[in-house]
Amino acid sequence: MSEAEEYAKTPRSTVNRYKPRAVYDHATVHSIIDEAPVAHVSFNPTPLDDDPFPTILPMLACTGSYTKPGAEEKSAVGIYLHGHVASRLMRLPDTQSEDQSTLGLPGAPVCVAATLFDGVVLALTPFNHSCNYRSAVVHGFANIVVDEEEKSYALKLLTDNLVPGRWDNSRVPPTEAELKGTTVLRVDIASASAKIRGYAAGNDKADLANDEMRKRVWTGVVPAATVFGQPIAAAENLVVEVPEYIHSWIDGGNKARRAYSEVVASKAGPQK
């Protein structure tokens, strides 16, 4: 599956409101999932007859493609999640296995959503106020990763997606107890779409023609970005200097996110 490909538009995934903001290519959807500090995973833990309300959990998530050694074809990109073996989400594929078999589903159905907030858009009228953002919504089927090599791959991927290089710069490999107490889920993507707004305020022509009002009402964009602060050592820390890979991750990421939010704030775009 090439990153240049697009996810098929389905009734579930097609963006209907502000269609020009819709994006379906793999690279964009995956990058939003990977960059977002938190993803939200929704699922139905019980039959609808018992409880009609879905459960939504904030989690760490990242995309990845594990291909077994010797395999002829590369595996499709999926989303990896991890958690305690006793959590409802981690047990979901097993608890719903009978339903999956009956309905012919390839796993437990879940939805993964992630959003990056890039700025507050202040127009001349409150009805044209908006936000700059990048969001992705993915529907897929979750299964427990039972292959030990894939599980190790996913745990390292999740760790390094949070802080690049952290896996090799921490106490590894995990203990047997740590591995037994942790479940990894792979969400095989069934449909996905992204929606992006990244441009200046859109003001009505009638408002733009009112110079007196424009002299009174400020319009523009307040850029926003997730920024990490300076590291604070734990009481038990014995490392004298903060490692360079942590400084590089903080400084480089902060600079890139700030730059993006500031650049799109001045870009011309659709009227609204």
Side-chain angles (χ1 to χ4, degrees):
M1 184 180 287
S2 168
E3 285 288 302
E5 292 183 80
E6 291 190 347
Y7 287 106
K9 298 179 183 179
T10 68
R12 183 193 306 111
S13 66
T14 299
V15 175
N16 294 310
R17 183 68 174 158
Y18 295 118
K19 289 186 178 182
R21 299 181 187 179
V23 182
Y24 299 91
D25 69 273
H26 294 175
T28 299
V29 172
H30 300 168
S31 67
I32 293 171
I33 296 291
D34 291 341
E35 187 177 337
V38 177
H40 287 86
V41 183
S42 58
F43 59 99
N44 283 105
T46 59
L48 294 182
D49 291 341
D50 296 336
D51 186 352
F53 296 103
T55 295
I56 301 178
L57 298 177
M59 303 190 70
L60 297 178
C62 72
T63 63
S65 173
Y66 175 79
T67 302
K68 291 184 178 180
E72 295 183 0
E73 295 184 7
K74 184 178 180 180
S75 299
V77 173
I79 298 174
Y80 286 103
L81 310 168
H82 78 300
H84 192 273
V85 292
S87 70
R88 287 178 297 173
L89 177 57
M90 295 300 119
R91 293 187 289 109
L92 190 67
D94 282 344
T95 57
Q96 293 189 356
S97 59
E98 185 174 335
D99 293 337
Q100 295 166 31
S101 177
T102 302
L103 298 174
L105 301 178
V110 300
C111 178
V112 181
T115 301
L116 300 168
F117 182 68
D118 299 314
V120 178
V121 181
L122 303 175
L124 292 170
T125 169
F127 292 93
N128 287 343
H129 281 35
S130 188
C131 293
N132 281 340
Y133 63 87
R134 290 163 285 165
S135 64
V137 177
V138 176
H139 290 87
F141 297 100
N143 287 284
I144 296 173
V145 174
V146 295
D147 183 274
E148 292 184 2
E149 291 185 1
E150 183 179 4
K151 185 175 182 179
S152 295
Y153 161 83
L155 290 172
K156 184 178 188 297
L157 189 70
L158 282 158
T159 303
D160 287 344
N161 187 67
L162 183 64
V163 180
R166 184 59 182 175
W167 182 269
D168 290 334
N169 286 281
S170 58
R171 193 262 295 154
V172 288
T175 65
E176 184 176 349
E178 288 172 334
L179 290 173
K180 285 185 176 180
T182 303
T183 294
V184 172
L185 296 183
R186 183 189 64 252
V187 179
D188 297 317
I189 299 173
S191 63
S193 61
K195 196 172 181 181
I196 298 172
R197 188 195 192 282
Y199 41 84
N203 290 296
D204 293 336
K205 291 182 179 180
D207 288 329
L208 293 175
N210 187 335
D211 287 347
E212 289 302 315
M213 184 266 291
R214 289 172 59 193
K215 291 177 181 178
R216 180 177 62 85
V217 180
W218 189 91
T219 180
V221 178
V222 181
T226 298
V227 176
F228 294 102
Q230 292 304 307
I232 299 174
E236 59 272 23
N237 174 69
L238 296 179
V239 180
V240 178
E241 299 289 342
V242 176
E244 178 57 31
Y245 75 93
I246 296 179
H247 277 308
S248 296
W249 162 66
I250 293 172
D251 296 341
N254 287 352
K255 182 178 180 180
R257 288 185 291 272
R258 280 172 168 155
Y260 175 87
S261 66
E262 292 170 1
V263 167
V264 299
S266 59
K267 286 177 61 178
Q271 186 65 19
K272 300 291 177 61

